[in-house]
């Protein structure tokens, strides 16, 4: 339980949306699954058949449908049919989520696909992350690592030795944390910096491996 965040890549074809591509993915998995066909498409996965692309759009995307594995599935134990590729993942990096919500989703935070994350948007976020990282001097001290409960049911922070940002004013201005339902910590410490470094790695890799004329990048989250 908590904030999970994804960058997904999918082929570009006309004005097809990621929601339509997702619906086609589910349809293709359903139609070839004997057990799944005991149920309607909506009963099996919640997708309405009317939302599944047809004609040339379906023909185009079917050619990309294949068995894939999630990046975390190093042993390839969980194969799944997919058109969409997961090219970035964060866990409770709420400052990055907050940025996408405000700069891609127009402030709407609802776990749905919104606007395309263009090359220019990714380059802007990469620049901001690098500026924040360059501004941060780390110093030793006590940092928070979760909570425990006392006998009265009150949350007590678990403190440990670590590093925090000496002056977080740049970070707070450019990439502020945000709170939410199991969104993780909101302190400006080594965990915040780890998320920034991870974001730089993710975006750099996506920029290097994406043909933005033929492929689309979308951000989506869940909790």
């Amino acid at each position: 339980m908590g904030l999970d965040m994804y960058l997904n890549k999918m082929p570009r074809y006309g004005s097809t949306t990621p929601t339509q591509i997702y619906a086609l993915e589910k349809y293709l998995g359903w139609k070839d699954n004997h057990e799944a066909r005991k149920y309607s498409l909506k009963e099996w996965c919640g997708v309405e058949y009317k939302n599944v692309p047809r004609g040339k759009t379906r023909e185009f995307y079917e050619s990309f449908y294949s068995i894939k594995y999630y990046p975390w599935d190093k042993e390839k134990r969980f194969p799944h049919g997919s058109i969409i590729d997961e090219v970035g993942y964060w866990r409770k990096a709420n400052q990055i989520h907050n940025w996408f919500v405000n700069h891609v989703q127009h402030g709407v935070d609802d776990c749905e696909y919104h606007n395309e994350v263009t090359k220019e948007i990714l380059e802007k976020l990469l620049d901001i992350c690098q500026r924040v990282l360059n501004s941060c001097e780390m110093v030793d001290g006590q940092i928070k690592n979760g909570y425990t409960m006392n006998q009265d049911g009150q949350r007590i922070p678990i403190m440990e030795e670590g590093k925090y940002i000496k002056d977080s004013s740049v970070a707070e201005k450019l990439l502020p944390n945000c709170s939410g339902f199991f969104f993780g910590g909101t302190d400006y410490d080594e965990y915040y910096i780890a998320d920034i470094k991870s974001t730089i790695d993710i975006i750099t890799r996506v920029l290097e491996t994406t043909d933005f004329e033929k492929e689309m990048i979308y951000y989506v989250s869940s909790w």
Side-chain angles (χ1 to χ4, degrees), residues 17-154:
T17 68
T19 301
Q20 290 173 311
I21 297 172
Y22 174 81
L24 179 56
E25 266 192 358
K26 294 302 182 182
Y27 167 76
L28 294 174
W30 169 81
K31 77 179 184 67
D32 294 328
N33 185 320
H34 178 72
E35 290 299 316
R37 290 299 295 271
K38 295 178 181 179
Y39 307 92
S40 69
L41 179 63
K42 184 176 182 180
E43 288 172 336
W44 184 63
C45 63
V47 169
E48 296 272 6
Y49 180 71
K50 65 181 181 181
N51 295 327
V52 178
R54 297 170 175 77
K56 292 184 178 180
T57 301
R58 179 182 297 183
E59 182 179 341
F60 173 83
Y61 281 106
E62 278 187 343
S63 67
F64 292 93
Y65 184 80
S66 63
I67 297 299
K68 299 180 182 180
Y69 298 89
Y70 298 107
W72 51 263
D73 186 12
K74 304 302 182 183
E75 298 179 357
K76 296 186 175 181
R77 297 175 56 192
F78 303 99
H80 61 284
S82 182
I83 298 167
I84 299 170
D85 287 309
E86 180 187 310
V87 294
Y89 172 76
W90 299 262
R91 173 74 172 166
K92 298 185 180 182
N94 59 71
Q95 74 276 46
I96 304 301
H97 174 69
N98 188 46
W99 194 90
F100 277 117
V101 168
N102 289 320
H103 292 84
V104 176
Q105 300 181 186
H106 301 298
V108 179
D109 190 359
D110 59 0
C111 298
E112 300 290 342
Y113 282 112
H114 286 263
N115 297 321
E116 181 180 350
V117 182
T118 64
K119 180 180 180 181
E120 292 72 24
I121 289 173
L122 289 172
E123 289 173 336
K124 182 176 181 179
L125 178 55
L126 178 61
D127 176 67
I128 290 173
C129 286
Q130 290 172 331
R131 288 164 61 188
V132 169
L133 186 61
N134 292 338
S135 75
C136 294
E137 177 186 352
M138 307 302 292
V139 295
D140 295 329
Q142 290 278 309
I143 63 172
K144 191 185 305 176
N145 185 12
Y147 293 86
T148 187
M149 304 292 287
N150 65 16
Q151 292 180 342
D152 298 324
Q154 297 175 319

